Amino acid sequence: MGTENEIEVTSQTNLRYTLTNGKLTFARPDPDSDAGKYQCVAENTVGSIIGPPVVVTAGYLKEFVNLKPGAVRAKLFQGTYITCNTPNFNPKVYYQWYKNDIAHFIRPTLNPHTFISENGRVYISEVQKSDEGEYHCIVTLTAPYGEKLATTQPPSRNSLGIGLIVEGENANDYGPDIHDDFPAVFPSPPERGREIRIECFAYGKLPLYYSWQKVNGSLPLGVRFENLNRVLVIPRARLEDSGVYRCHVKRGGAAATKDISVTIASRPYFLFPLMDKYIDMNSQLTLRCEAVAVPRATYTWYKNSLPLMSLPGDVEIYRNTLIIRQANPERHNGMYQCMAENRYGKTLSGAELKVLRFKPSFDKYPLSDALMGTVNGNITIKCLPEAAPTPEVKWSHNGSPLGLSFGASGRLTLLLSGFLVISQLTQSDEGSYTCTATNSEGTASSTGHLSVVGHTVLNVKPSNTDVIVNETAFMFCEASYDVTRVDVVYIWLFEDRIINIDQDPHFVQGIRGGGRGLYIRNAQYKHAGQYTCMAQTAQKHVDAGASLRVYGPPDEPAGVFAYHFRGQDVDLRWTPPLVTDPHAEPVTQYRVEVANNYDGWDSWEVVADSLTDIQTYLEEDPSKRSTTITGLGPGTNYRFRVIARNRFGWGVHSLPSKTYNQNPGPPSSAPPRVGGGGGSVGEITIEWDPILDKDHGGRDVGFHYRVFYRKMTASRDGVWLTSYVKACETEAYGGKVEGCETQHVGIVGLHNYYLQYETMVQGVNDLGEGPNSTIAIIYSAEEMPVTVPTNIYSYAVNATAIMVQWDAIPNTREIMKGKIQGYQINWWLDDKNHTYARAKYIRHYGNVTQGIVIGLQHVTDYWVNVQVYNGAGLSNPSENYWVSTYYNPPQHYPFHVAVRSHGVDSIYLTWRGISTGQDEESITGYTVRYWQMKNPMSSAIDKVVGKTFYAVLSNLEKNTTYQVRVIATSLGGDGKKSPTVYFTLGGQIRLNILTTEILASANKFKISISALVLCLVITF
């Protein structure tokens, strides 16, 4: 976010994009225009936040080189390996091998002396004579862990055969000898949360036995062993799984061990995400973003989805810490996010910051008018103003300021909370105490009167307290007593029963803000009720009580019943949740749901939503709520239920009402879709979607369909023809009815072929007619075409394809007896064993005048003819035409391709030509195909140069690497392509295709390769 190259992605940007509830969908992904980094931005009145970046990249898998690899020579009974010279790919491939032919895949579990590593090589621990042969490597494009391929058929490539030649005759008893490639860990580096595979392989005479251990520790939980114990798999790696792993290989009395150090990397993750903050104006706030990451993460801060820069004295950023020096609502309110990033990914944590500002107020918590303390006792007088920023608190006694400061010791102490503590009370401490709170927004005061008595009293009594369900409440309670004479024990009761605080984790006695009391943790509705605090001494006790109200979503409505049925409408009435409930809050909305006997009594459908309490208020009975439900179907049984909502969310559903039976009646709806067409000449075929059973009007009411159709005229006043069709009923009535239809075939006459008709369908039963569907325009059936294509001509395109041409046929009703759908080309060999009856065909759609036929044999004679077809079928075939294919294209490719510099924007290309065999067409010229290395081959430019062995390529770009291949061409088609040569304007270069590093050229630099795009890879 915050870069100049950002583009907002919407359906207006490109019709292929669809954004639905935050989900972005690509239709027909295009690797050129769709590749890039995407981020979601969510915004409301509070601010905006960004989601983690999603990278869409072009995946590709290039071809193996068409040069046969050199053979591998191995000593009999020694170990060896064969390397797969993997073509360039993105992002990942997996490997398979087969020997000689694809029916003989290498399966290490069946052939324990073989092993296929994640590095692509196939290893043989003890070469046998039977291992000789041609080995083929198969690579298939796949996605790394946590990523997706945007294709269900990833591409794969097969290598040319790699020969394995076994030499020698003597058997050696040796090993085990762990190969230098092992142990090896995949993927490398291993990442937290992913599956990790640690491989081990040894040369040696079989049998070899493998085992594993973790040095100075135990193997991780859940590990498994695969491939004859040669692979240790950690399903979901953790950071603590890092360490040294040791592979043991044994054979008889011989053994070998080898260690590998595994360090688990990790993209950042938060143990403690940011939390919403509400702070006072001018206060200081510190937000700390602490992520676990290997390697260590770097941090970026955002406000409202834009990068946040450090501004000394205002917003200061020190790596993972953000400090707001003097909070101001105009500058600092909004959504804040921290992004933790390392080479393995990015993770975001966000929270809202709201800066509060208002003058002090004691409206909610005034000082008590009647405070009581005990001689020689203590008392805490609470001062609880609501204010932002935090106010300064001062106390006065009988109008005289006490002049107290925080931390000062004495009989009178001012706590940091603003509470006043008076110790060793005397009669002189009686009188009025005033707490004055002052901040930048104003001042407020509250006064209470203290009386000092000679017996124990509760000077801080519990007060009625509210709490939201699942949160924590605190009820104050503190006694004033003569500390020189008695001790006090506090006992709490709930609904007059003693609370066993040691056994119930919801209750804890503690201190809050300098005052003693009871915590009710994770409060539930069951905790709402009357609480009593008892201060017990040896002689007596004093107590006081207060109630706890637990707020949350409303209880269920009650007494749902229906009345006053009026056709498809009914009035529904219910009793709202009781306002006297402990957690009662005003209901803001109701939702009504209905179930019926057709869809099932557990299938509830919303029929009235977001009904406000005012909308449902019933004047004649304010204790009830009511609404009207419409659209009920006749002959259907219904049940209703209601759910209420308040500011805390939706409550629970009411009990379902009793079942109400709607009286049978005419069908209540029409077929939702009417269409059709096709069929036999002289007919019109009308089809429709069935009316749902619940809309038939009832059971055993003789439901069926009435079909209307008439020929389309300008005046549209023709007479409707009608037919009745038996309905298909579902298993709700005992299964499908024999002979039922949702289709009707009407007779219109042979002369009325392919004409427009108006059609509509309605449901009908014994009690009346339902509504008509909307009128649909369909065509009557077509007649078989009687015309045939003429002027047939065909010629060879190359050795395996021919082109067939013909004159266009007028696409009119009178000539085609309908509408042209396409043409069919038939072909068959010109020999005594093949006739027209054995012809093959290909169809070309639309009113075209030519079509190509591919997949033919070279230097072969064929007969062809053409037929036109419409919806009714094929015409008679045209006259036959004889055609012959060419000889094969060149079977060799040009070689010794060389490039040298030519001009400021051109190069000079040469090659050695080829000759053709007697089964090949003569060469007509050469084609030079070149393209920028960063682009796929599909962007290549072809330059045809004739029968020469050189070409000048112009208009080339500086500092750009190109690829070029030369192709010999003939009438038989294009021949094989020469191996790829890389060049720049400076001339030919050598390239390491595995590392994409230029090995020798005038300019030393690194490049990245893009190849033919085969699919998209989406990285999360």
Side-chain angles (χ1 to χ4, degrees), residues 698-961:
R699 184 177 180 179
D700 299 328
V701 291
F703 177 79
H704 56 280
Y705 294 100
R706 180 185 291 166
V707 180
F708 301 82
Y709 60 97
R710 67 183 179 187
K711 188 186 296 185
M712 184 80 168
T713 61
S715 60
R716 306 186 74 169
D717 57 357
V719 177
W720 290 100
L721 301 176
T722 62
S723 294
Y724 291 93
V725 178
K726 194 174 185 179
C728 290
E729 295 176 336
T730 64
E731 294 181 358
Y733 286 157
K736 186 174 179 179
V737 176
E738 189 70 26
C740 68
E741 297 287 349
T742 55
Q743 181 189 85
H744 173 68
V745 177
I747 303 301
V748 296
L750 296 177
H751 60 287
N752 286 320
Y753 62 87
Y754 201 62
L755 291 175
Q756 285 186 328
Y757 280 77
E758 293 180 290
T759 62
M760 60 183 180
V761 182
Q762 74 173 164
V764 181
N765 64 23
D766 298 340
L767 302 176
E769 302 172 352
N772 285 320
S773 68
T774 55
I775 294 177
I777 308 298
I778 64 175
Y779 280 87
S780 58
E782 298 172 86
E783 188 177 349
M784 296 279 287
V786 294
T787 187
V788 297
T790 58
N791 235 357
I792 307 301
Y793 174 70
S794 180
Y795 62 89
V797 175
N798 54 38
T800 60
I802 60 174
M803 181 68 73
V804 183
Q805 297 176 333
W806 57 88
D807 288 346
I809 295 176
N811 193 10
T812 63
R813 173 180 176 271
E814 290 74 21
I815 293 177
M816 275 303 302
K817 306 299 182 183
K819 182 180 181 181
I820 293 176
Q821 289 194 5
Y823 293 83
Q824 177 173 300
I825 301 173
N826 308 299
W827 75 91
W828 62 99
L829 288 171
D830 180 17
D831 62 37
K832 62 182 180 180
N833 295 322
H834 293 79
T835 64
Y836 178 64
R838 298 182 60 183
K840 298 180 179 179
Y841 69 88
I842 184 173
R843 289 186 174 183
H844 293 274
Y845 298 97
N847 194 12
V848 296
T849 58
Q850 65 178 18
I852 193 168
V853 179
I854 61 175
L856 306 179
Q857 301 175 27
H858 68 284
V859 199
T860 304
D861 300 330
Y862 289 91
W863 288 101
V864 297
N865 62 34
V866 183
Q867 293 173 276
V868 67
Y869 63 93
N870 61 17
L874 290 160
S875 70
N876 290 324
S878 67
E879 73 272 18
N880 299 334
Y881 193 92
W882 180 87
V883 64
S884 180
T885 54
Y886 288 123
Y887 285 92
N888 278 326
Q891 299 298 295
H892 296 88
Y893 54 79
F895 51 100
H896 296 328
V897 178
V899 182
R900 69 171 185 266
S901 181
H902 180 265
V904 294
D905 68 345
S906 61
I907 58 94
Y908 190 80
L909 182 74
T910 60
W911 61 89
R912 184 172 179 179
I914 61 173
S915 59
T916 56
Q918 63 179 5
D919 197 31
E920 302 172 29
E921 290 285 343
S922 298
I923 292 175
T924 58
Y926 293 90
T927 298
V928 178
R929 180 168 297 164
Y930 63 100
W931 67 98
Q932 291 187 8
M933 196 172 189
K934 65 183 179 181
N935 296 329
M937 187 190 286
S938 58
S939 65
I941 300 172
D942 284 353
K943 182 171 183 176
V944 180
V945 296
K947 292 184 178 182
T948 62
F949 307 121
Y950 68 91
V952 175
L953 304 183
S954 304
N955 299 319
L956 303 178
E957 297 181 7
K958 294 181 179 180
N959 300 322
T960 301
T961 302

Side-chain angles (χ1 to χ4, degrees), residues 345-400:
K346 302 175 181 179
T347 307
L348 287 152
S349 178
E352 177 192 358
L353 171 61
K354 188 171 185 179
V355 181
L356 305 175
R357 179 174 63 186
F358 56 90
K359 65 177 293 186
S361 171
F362 287 94
D363 291 345
K364 191 171 183 180
Y365 301 110
L367 266 68
S368 175
D369 291 335
L371 299 167
M372 295 188 69
T374 303
V375 174
N376 291 325
N378 302 331
I379 187 172
T380 300
I381 307 177
K382 296 186 296 181
C383 180
L384 297 171
E386 292 183 307
T390 301
E392 179 185 5
V393 173
K394 294 183 179 181
W395 286 90
S396 60
H397 179 211
N398 294 329
S400 299

Side-chain angles (χ1 to χ4, degrees), residues 175-430:
D177 181 12
I178 298 178
H179 192 276
D180 291 342
D181 291 346
F182 302 97
V185 61
F186 300 94
S188 181
E191 292 186 48
R192 169 184 172 270
R194 299 191 176 190
E195 181 178 274
I196 293 174
R197 304 172 66 87
I198 307 176
E199 298 179 347
C200 186
F201 180 80
Y203 289 162
K205 187 175 180 62
L206 297 181
L208 299 175
Y209 300 98
Y210 293 79
S211 62
W212 293 87
Q213 76 173 102
K214 185 180 181 184
V215 179
N216 299 325
S218 302
L219 290 175
L221 294 175
V223 299
R224 66 178 188 272
F225 303 97
E226 295 181 355
N227 212 307
L228 306 175
N229 280 9
R230 293 180 289 201
V231 181
L232 168 69
V233 181
I234 305 175
R236 293 184 61 86
R238 304 168 299 170
L239 293 181
E240 52 267 35
D241 295 334
S242 296
V244 176
Y245 289 80
R246 180 168 294 164
C247 171
H248 298 266
V249 187
K250 290 185 177 182
R251 182 186 64 84
T257 63
K258 203 170 181 182
D259 295 345
I260 182 173
S261 179
V262 176
T263 300
I264 307 296
S266 173
R267 67 183 297 165
Y269 65 97
F270 294 100
L271 292 176
F272 303 102
L274 297 178
M275 303 295 290
D276 293 341
K277 298 292 184 182
Y278 301 93
I279 63 173
D280 295 343
M281 191 182 74
N282 295 326
S283 64
Q284 178 173 303
L285 172 68
T286 299
L287 294 176
R288 186 165 284 106
C289 178
E290 195 66 50
V292 178
V294 179
R296 181 178 295 181
T298 58
Y299 297 89
T300 305
W301 287 89
Y302 294 85
K303 180 188 176 186
N304 292 332
S305 72
L306 297 176
L308 194 58
M309 299 294 105
S310 184
L311 182 63
D314 185 19
V315 178
E316 300 176 359
I317 298 174
Y318 304 94
R319 296 185 180 90
N320 66 326
T321 302
L322 182 146
I323 302 174
I324 297 176
R325 292 296 181 187
Q326 287 186 308
N328 182 282
E330 284 75 23
R331 295 199 311 272
H332 301 131
N333 280 357
M335 297 299 300
Y336 288 77
Q337 287 181 283
C338 168
M339 176 186 286
E341 175 181 5
N342 66 9
R343 72 182 67 169
Y344 300 107
K346 302 175 181 179
T347 307
L348 287 152
S349 178
E352 177 192 358
L353 171 61
K354 188 171 185 179
V355 181
L356 305 175
R357 179 174 63 186
F358 56 90
K359 65 177 293 186
S361 171
F362 287 94
D363 291 345
K364 191 171 183 180
Y365 301 110
L367 266 68
S368 175
D369 291 335
L371 299 167
M372 295 188 69
T374 303
V375 174
N376 291 325
N378 302 331
I379 187 172
T380 300
I381 307 177
K382 296 186 296 181
C383 180
L384 297 171
E386 292 183 307
T390 301
E392 179 185 5
V393 173
K394 294 183 179 181
W395 286 90
S396 60
H397 179 211
N398 294 329
S400 299
L402 293 176
L404 301 175
S405 59
F406 296 124
S409 60
R411 272 199 330 111
L412 278 68
T413 303
L414 179 61
L415 301 180
L416 291 176
S417 62
F419 292 5
L420 175 64
V421 178
I422 307 174
S423 304
Q424 300 174 9
L425 282 168
T426 66
Q427 294 293 334
S428 62
D429 292 322
E430 287 188 331

Side-chain angles (χ1 to χ4, degrees), residues 657-724:
S657 70
K658 71 174 187 178
T659 302
Y660 294 92
N661 305 321
Q662 279 278 69
N663 292 326
S668 57
S669 66
R673 183 198 66 85
V674 177
S680 302
V681 63
E683 298 175 348
I684 181 170
T685 302
I686 305 166
E687 300 173 341
W688 60 91
D689 290 342
I691 297 174
L692 298 178
D693 290 352
K694 63 183 179 181
D695 297 325
H696 284 184
R699 184 177 180 179
D700 299 328
V701 291
F703 177 79
H704 56 280
Y705 294 100
R706 180 185 291 166
V707 180
F708 301 82
Y709 60 97
R710 67 183 179 187
K711 188 186 296 185
M712 184 80 168
T713 61
S715 60
R716 306 186 74 169
D717 57 357
V719 177
W720 290 100
L721 301 176
T722 62
S723 294
Y724 291 93

